[in-house]
Amino acid sequence: SSGNLPFDSLKGDFQNILQAIQGIDNNERINIIQKFLEEQLEKYKKETIAIDNAIKLIRETKGEYTIEELCNKLNIHHKKLERGFLNTIGTTPKVFSRTTRFLHLCHHLKEYENLTMTQLAYRLGYYDQAHFIKGFKAFSGITPKEYFQQNNICFAEF
């Protein structure tokens, strides 16, 4: 987390605050500004907690949730989720999910040894074998078959 509040998004509200504090004494001004900033911080904290929960959920489910399922489960709009991910970890939830899924596979290859490619694709939450191969190649630069041959792992043919 960068730890920075998105002050650019506060500009409109802050202009209203500045107008509202014209002609009142400094103590009242300080109280109004402090209350405004505390409210903004509270909003920011809630969003950060939602992103933390999304990250935990993706890790726990090995990246198997779709972004839509994740948003429904966490009751968060997909745009807010995406912005939160970009601000917090520098990537989209979709890329983070795919990366998590790929890393899980790499760390647990031996457990999947007796499955067919199709069974493996479904086990890892892919829609079908073609999506699995495409996603795998995007991360590793080679097909799953080539990768597994390099790692001396044989999968069932059918």
Side-chain angles (χ1 to χ4, degrees):
S1 173
S2 62
N4 295 328
L5 276 173
F7 278 108
D8 288 349
S9 66
L10 307 180
K11 281 183 182 166
D13 294 38
F14 203 65
Q15 291 303 320
N16 294 339
I17 295 279
L18 292 176
Q19 286 175 348
I21 61 174
Q22 299 301 315
I24 57 174
D25 75 35
N26 277 342
N27 284 340
E28 284 182 69
R29 283 182 184 166
I30 290 167
N31 288 338
I32 289 170
I33 292 171
Q34 187 171 345
K35 188 175 184 324
F36 170 76
L37 292 174
E38 284 170 0
E39 285 169 6
Q40 298 306 316
L41 185 59
E42 202 54 44
K43 282 184 205 168
Y44 183 70
K45 273 188 197 170
K46 281 181 190 168
E47 188 170 305
T48 303
I49 289 168
I51 300 309
D52 287 348
N53 288 337
I55 291 168
K56 284 177 195 164
L57 202 52
I58 289 170
R59 285 186 174 149
E60 285 167 10
T61 61
K62 305 169 202 83
E64 289 179 23
Y65 276 141
T66 66
I67 301 310
E68 188 180 350
E69 289 170 332
L70 201 58
C71 289
N72 289 340
K73 188 129 179 102
L74 297 168
N75 196 23
I76 186 172
H77 191 271
H78 72 275
K79 288 285 185 195
K80 198 171 209 175
L81 181 72
E82 191 161 304
R83 186 180 64 242
F85 262 76
L86 287 168
N87 290 339
T88 306
I89 58 174
T91 189
T92 65
K94 193 171 189 174
V95 169
F96 182 76
S97 226
R98 285 178 176 171
T99 306
T100 301
R101 198 179 335 181
F102 179 74
L103 291 174
H104 170 77
L105 169 63
C106 292
H107 287 115
H108 297 88
L109 279 176
K110 288 287 185 194
E111 294 171 28
Y112 299 120
E113 199 165 8
N114 296 318
L115 300 178
T116 65
M117 267 314 160
T118 303
Q119 288 170 327
L120 180 61
Y122 290 128
R123 178 75 59 89
L124 293 171
Y126 287 91
Y127 178 72
D128 59 21
Q129 188 176 341
H131 281 88
F132 168 56
I133 293 169
K134 184 180 175 187
F136 191 98
K137 194 167 183 177
F139 279 103
S140 66
I142 57 177
T143 66
K145 192 171 186 176
E146 293 167 329
Y147 181 83
F148 298 133
Q149 284 170 347
Q150 287 177 9
N151 287 278
N152 298 320
I153 291 175
C154 295
F155 283 84
E157 290 299 317
F158 47 84

